[in-house]
């Protein structure tokens, strides 16, 4: 198995597929702390990274993992960690440091049911808002949500590409079900996988945080005499702390805008039978697979149902929803939490949606989503 | 062929996970079907009832878990109590004859098969291959997966030094004649 | 200072010369903590009455030969937390 | 008589002079220790372009902002794992963590013992000023028993950590403790720590006149240094447990531990990778070797040295 890209057809779990995707994207550093149901990602990486010239470290906790990730990223390695709810909570501090210092890296969160230790081995989707707002302060995030091992592979590549291109920590919001189920994963040859690398600064005179027109500053390498200073404090373009409201406005506004102006390149969704739909289910991850079945069942009953599946959760596709609300009259949201994406959906469509929530432990049965669809059209 | 759901239940340590994984892999990679494999996770999988599921379809499988299994394979009494009620009406029931004590074919079951997989495995030299005996038997009586594919998957997924034993287990299960 | 005078005496009798140093100051970095003054083994520094730009009293020199002369030991330079004071060997 | 006015200091090449004067209070020892660190670097000819300083949060955490090298001012307690990450990615660079006792031993306590256990090839300099200075003088894991702080107004009822002792027993390769008054020996000790392959640690007791001294009968920075002068006993290679610091009693400074060099964490990581790594192309092989040339050279030296022993 000493190959960089595991070309061909394989029967893999989502956890293993996301690891393979990362390696294909050029990930060469992994720091993590074991936690169910994400540990298989670490296990795979510990076996695979040395084969491709990379480094795997099992850190002492998730705080350390996230810190090491940022360090390694500045050291020039594409870096990743994998965790689940409680570990994700511990990573939030340095997730914020990654945002503030514009450090590319990827965090895989295989969601389980919480709060707290909750159901370690069973599914949840309760970290959606934590991925968005988990660290303190204003910022924009990128979070992807795969529904199958194939997408785990594909989205790991995409997550790295986003993180490198926009210089931002990117979250792959998996869930236990997708992480643990096995399916065929078809991996193209290396030459056919688009891999984006960060812009590297070559001008030693240029300030470390002087952005290009796309609002993204190229990243200087360490150990090459650039003499960079990187701080989590609000800083100016030289990277030096400036403790004023003006500096904060300027810096954080750019951090937000660099994602907002590129939102259209990032946002991605699947429309399933939405063309003539009266009622649209919004779902992501494993819930989308239940919803897809429910839509088919509804169509069999003569209800014009469709689904909008969020492949990228953040940035949220508000524009798309505003388009859909022109055509469809009813909206249903199915997610394994107490209503997180629901809030975003209702904000976009400016009316109530039927909420089919589950507190976690199992994915929606298709008939549960169908009930929501029927309630919506009643 | 439309969606078919297969569920294999037993107790932890019987290898029901590997049995399901072998069949799903064979379907997906060699029979070129759309197949998904899932398993029950959690402390109950360590010692208690444990199960794995295979769903196969013509197009990409949507909901990946068995809801009303078309085929139910049961390898312990406890698993029978837990999982049997989910079997689709008229579905196929396959049991480990020595470990599931029932009086013939239960009501509502379509096809019914039984095999003393554990005893056969013991006779072959190691009870650990009971699950592979079962895979051979499932392959034969349900036709859900082709023999070549199933065998290939078995040989791929077991450690090198027990390949021969597993091959024999598969063939014995496949060739088993019910009384 | 008994030991010092003994050393002075010994030095006088020998050919050896005491190295002499010149004290330099980047005055506006000084925060007037007084560590250089306090720990100068020769006691050649005192806190001045002057203010620097930030309102601190920088040190100044009291050269009182033969005892109070800078011997270029560099302790003030090392103890100074401000990268303000330093010494260089005086060229005779 | 006025001293000679100067515009430049001999360490200016190592400093971001445009940011001076620094934020530390008058008489604070952090600047002294930073000076010792930079002199040690200069003495051994360590290339600032190939050196990285990582700091956490707190007064000492600001050190990274003043040195003219690639520097990282990270989150509270996390400079060590950050440094472990950067060193694992770039074993050819020198990585120093410069941070305070609260940062490295309270909120970050878990990380320092694990980095020492792994023998990560980083140098850690800790300023121990017995207090949380930047936030106004709260109780630290090093505050002496009975010490008055803003969160122990009736006196500290906890036992302080013996930092150097803790690190020594955690698996470090080099451990020393000095005070900011022992500047020359500190400088020599930091030179050794920088040269040492493996986890090296230097604890420096340092005055905080503003937040600690003021409440504990040492208002003037000179008072605290005099306390050090009176109570510090130089002793080397002690049993680390002897390193406890008790109020108004003598305490030990010196080299606690100078262990024989062993392969570092990074040596082992890269050795494992080298064994497993299938070079996918000649170009990649060359790039990989270039990147880790220095590392591989030192590694092979150590390994062959071990063979001879």
């Amino acid at each position: 198995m000493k190959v960089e890209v595991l070309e061909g057809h394989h029967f893999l779990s989502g956890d293993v597929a996301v690891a393979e995707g990362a390696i294909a994207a050029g990930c060469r550093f992994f720091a993590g702390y074991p936690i169910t149901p994400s540990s298989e990602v670490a296990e795979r990486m510990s076996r695979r990274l040395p084969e491709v010239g990379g480094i795997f470290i099992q850190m002492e906790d998730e705080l350390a993992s996230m810190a090491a990730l940022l360090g390694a990223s500045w050291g020039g390695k594409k870096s990743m960690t994998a965790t689940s709810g409680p570990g994700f909570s511990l990573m939030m501090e340095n997730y914020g440091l990654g945002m503030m210092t514009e450090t590319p890296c990827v965090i895989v969160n295989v969601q389980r049911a919480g709060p707290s230790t909750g159901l370690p081995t069973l599914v949840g989707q309760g970290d959606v808002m934590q991925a968005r707002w988990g660290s303190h302060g204003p910022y924009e995030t990128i979070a992807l949500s795969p529904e199958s091992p194939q997408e785990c592979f594909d989205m790991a590549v995409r997550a790295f590409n986003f993180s490198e291109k926009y210089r931002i920590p990117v979250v792959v919001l998996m869930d236990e079900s997708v992480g643990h189920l096995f399916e065929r994963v078809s991996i193209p040859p290396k030459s056919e996988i688009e891999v984006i690398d960060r812009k590297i600064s070559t001008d030693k005179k240029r300030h470390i945080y002087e952005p290009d027109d796309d609002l993204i500053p190229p990243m200087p390498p360490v150990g090459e005499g650039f003499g960079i200073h990187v701080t989590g404090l609000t800083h100016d373009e030289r990277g030096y702390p400036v403790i004023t409201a003006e500096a904060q406005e300027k810096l954080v506004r750019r951090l937000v805008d660099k994602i907002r102006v590129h939102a259209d390149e990032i946002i991605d969704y699947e429309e399933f039978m939405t063309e003539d739909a009266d009622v649209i289910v919004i779902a992501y991850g494993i819930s989308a697979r239940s919803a897809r079945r429910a839509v088919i069942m509804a169509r069999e009953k003569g209800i014009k149902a469709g689904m909008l599946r969020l492949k990228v959760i953040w940035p949220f596709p508000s524009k798309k929803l505003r388009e859909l609300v022109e055509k469809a009259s009813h909206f249903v949201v199915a997610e394994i939490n107490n209503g997180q994406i629901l809030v975003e959906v209702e904000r976009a469509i400016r009316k109530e949606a039927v909420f089919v929530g589950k507190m976690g432990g199992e994915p929606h049965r298709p008939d549960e989503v169908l009930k929501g669809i029927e309630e919506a059209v009643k | 062929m439309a969606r078919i759901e297969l569920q294999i239940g037993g107790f932890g340590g019987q290898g029901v996970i590997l049995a399901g994984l072998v069949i799903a892999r064979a379907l997906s990679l060699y029979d070129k079907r759309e197949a998904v494999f899932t398993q029950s996770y959690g402390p109950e999988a360590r010692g208690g009832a444990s199960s794995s599921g295979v769903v196969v379809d013509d197009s990409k499988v949507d909901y990946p878990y068995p809801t009303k299994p078309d085929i139910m394979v049961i390898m312990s009494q406890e698993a029978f109590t837990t999982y049997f009620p989910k079997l689709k009406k008229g579905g196929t029931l396959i049991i480990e004859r020595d470990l599931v004590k029932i009086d013939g074919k239960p009501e509502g079951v379509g096809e019914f098969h039984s095999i003393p997989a554990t005893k056969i495995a013991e006779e072959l030299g190691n009870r650990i291959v009971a699950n592979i005996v079962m895979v051979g038997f499932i392959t034969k009586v349900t036709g859900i997966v082709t023999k070549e594919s199933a065998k290939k998957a078995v040989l791929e997924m077991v450690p090198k030094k027990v390949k021969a034993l597993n091959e024999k287990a598969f063939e014995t299960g496949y060739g088993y004649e019910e009384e | 200072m008994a030991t010092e005078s003994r050393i002075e005496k010994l030095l006088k009798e020998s050919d050896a010369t005491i190295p002499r140093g010149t004290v330099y100051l980047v005055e506006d970095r000084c925060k007037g903590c007084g560590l250089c003054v306090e720990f100068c083994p020769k006691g050649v520094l005192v806190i001045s009455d002057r203010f620097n730009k930030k309102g601190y009293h920088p040190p100044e020199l009291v050269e009182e030969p033969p005892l109070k002369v800078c011997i270029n030991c560099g302790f003030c330079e090392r103890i100074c937390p401000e990268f303000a004071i330093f010494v260089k060997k005086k060229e005779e | 008589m006025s001293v000679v006015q100067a515009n430049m200091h001999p360490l200016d090449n190592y400093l971001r002079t445009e940011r001076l004067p620094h934020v530390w209070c008058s008489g604070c020892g952090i600047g002294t220790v930073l000076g010792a660190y930079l002199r040690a670097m200069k003495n051994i000819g360590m290339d600032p372009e190939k050196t990285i300083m990582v700091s956490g949060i707190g007064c000492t955490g600001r050190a990274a902002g003043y040195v003219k090298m690639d520097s990282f001012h990270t989150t509270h307690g996390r400079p060590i794992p950050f440094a472990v990450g950067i060193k694992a990615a770039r074993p050819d660079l020198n990585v120093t963590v410069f941070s305070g006792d609260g940062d490295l031993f309270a909120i970050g306590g878990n990380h320092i013992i694990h980095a020492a256990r792994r023998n990560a090839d980083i140098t850690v300099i800790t300023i121990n000023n017995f207090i949380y200075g930047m936030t106004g003088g709260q109780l630290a894991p090093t505050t002496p028993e009975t010490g008055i702080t803003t969160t122990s107004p009736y006196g500290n009822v906890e036992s302080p950590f013996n930092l150097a002792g803790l690190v020594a027993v955690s698996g470090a390769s080099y451990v020393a403790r000095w005070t900011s008054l022992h500047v020359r020996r500190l400088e020599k000790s930091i030179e050794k720590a920088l040269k040492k392959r493996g986890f090296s640690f230097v604890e420096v007791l340092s005055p905080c006149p503003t937040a600690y001294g003021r409440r504990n009968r040492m208002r003037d920075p000179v008072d605290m240094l005099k306390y050090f002068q009176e109570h510090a006993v130089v002793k080397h290679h002690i049993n680390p447990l002897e390193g406890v610091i008790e109020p108004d009693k003598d305490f030990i400074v010196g080299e606690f531990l100078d262990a024989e060099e062993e392969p570092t964490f990074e040596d082992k990581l890269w050795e494992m990778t080298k064994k497993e790594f299938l070079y996918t192309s000649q170009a990649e092989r060359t790039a990989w070797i270039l990147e880790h040339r220095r590392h591989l050279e030192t590694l092979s030296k150590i390994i062959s040295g071990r063979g001879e022993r």
Side-chain angles (χ1 to χ4, degrees), chain C residues 24-37:
Chain C
Y24 293 82
L25 185 69
V26 187
E27 187 169 293
D28 288 332
R29 288 186 189 172
C30 176
K31 287 180 189 157
C33 68
L35 295 184
C36 55
V37 173

Side-chain angles (χ1 to χ4, degrees), chain C residues 25 31 38 61 73 78 81, chain D residues 1 6 22 24 184 187 226:
Chain C
L25 185 69
K31 287 180 189 157
E38 183 65 33
L61 215 50
C73 75
R78 286 182 163 82
Chain D
M1 193 166 104
H22 50 59
W24 300 312
R184 285 180 195 277
E187 196 176 307
K226 286 209 164 138

Side-chain angles (χ1 to χ4, degrees), chain D residues 30-187:
Chain D
I30 300 171
T32 306
V33 182
L34 185 62
Y37 173 80
L38 296 175
R39 275 183 202 95
M41 257 184 84
K42 201 174 168 182
N43 297 347
I44 63 172
M46 202 161 96
D47 183 357
E49 293 200 351
K50 298 292 174 197
T51 306
I52 288 171
M53 183 179 279
V54 187
S55 285
I57 296 299
C59 290
T60 316
R62 291 300 185 93
Y66 300 113
V67 293
K68 202 186 265 180
M69 50 179 98
D70 292 339
S71 54
F72 295 87
H73 178 219
T74 64
T75 42
H76 199 16
R78 318 299 165 217
I80 287 182
F82 192 101
V84 166
I86 208 162
K87 179 71 185 181
R90 288 293 302 272
D92 57 318
L93 302 180
N94 312 302
V95 179
T96 297
V97 170
F98 199 101
S99 216
D101 53 292
D103 191 66
L104 295 182
F105 285 87
I107 188 167
N110 198 29
H111 309 309
I112 194 156
I113 58 176
H114 286 281
R117 171 178 69 80
R118 295 183 178 109
N119 198 26
D121 187 15
I122 58 177
T123 304
V124 178
I125 315 279
T126 295
I127 301 280
N128 178 359
N129 57 9
F130 312 105
I131 198 82
Y132 284 92
M134 182 152 281
T135 47
Q138 295 81 16
L139 186 72
T142 46
T143 305
E145 258 183 289
T146 73
I148 306 290
T149 73
T150 59
T151 49
S152 63
Y154 309 112
N156 179 19
V157 295
E158 300 181 8
S159 299
F161 258 144
N162 159 9
L163 306 186
L166 177 66
V167 177
V169 298
S170 298
S173 287
Y174 180 85
V175 177
R177 172 196 286 156
W178 297 103
T179 80
S180 66
L181 184 68
H182 295 78
V183 273
R184 285 180 195 277
R185 298 207 236 202
L186 171 63
E187 196 176 307

Side-chain angles (χ1 to χ4, degrees), chain A residues 2 50-54 58-61 68 71 75 77 93-94 222-223 225 227-233 240-241, chain D residues 16 18-19 49-50 64-65 69-73 75 78 81-82 85-86 89-90 110-111 114 118 273 277-278 291:
Chain A
K2 287 190 182 182
E51 293 180 351
V52 296
Q58 182 171 317
M59 296 300 288
E60 54 271 20
D61 56 32
K77 301 271 180 241
E93 176 194 41
N94 284 316
V222 295
I228 55 172
H229 182 59
V230 178
T231 176
L233 285 168
Y240 292 168
Chain D
R16 299 180 194 272
E18 71 274 27
R19 302 202 66 223
E49 293 200 351
K50 298 292 174 197
M69 50 179 98
D70 292 339
S71 54
F72 295 87
H73 178 219
T75 42
R78 318 299 165 217
F82 192 101
I86 208 162
R90 288 293 302 272
N110 198 29
H111 309 309
H114 286 281
R118 295 183 178 109
T273 289
F277 186 25
L278 182 82
E291 185 182 343

Side-chain angles (χ1 to χ4, degrees), chain D residues 250-271:
Chain D
D250 287 355
F251 59 88
I252 296 173
V253 295
E255 252 176 24
F256 280 37
L257 174 75
D258 187 2
E260 234 178 277
E261 278 187 6
E262 297 256 339
T264 66
F265 180 48
E266 297 76 16
D267 290 340
K268 292 175 188 164
L269 283 175
W270 282 100
E271 186 59 13

Side-chain angles (χ1 to χ4, degrees), chain A residues 207-209 229-231 233-242:
Chain A
H207 292 321
I208 168 174
Y209 286 115
H229 182 59
V230 178
T231 176
L233 285 168
T234 298
H235 45 269
D236 59 17
E237 289 187 350
R238 295 174 302 168
Y240 292 168
V242 184

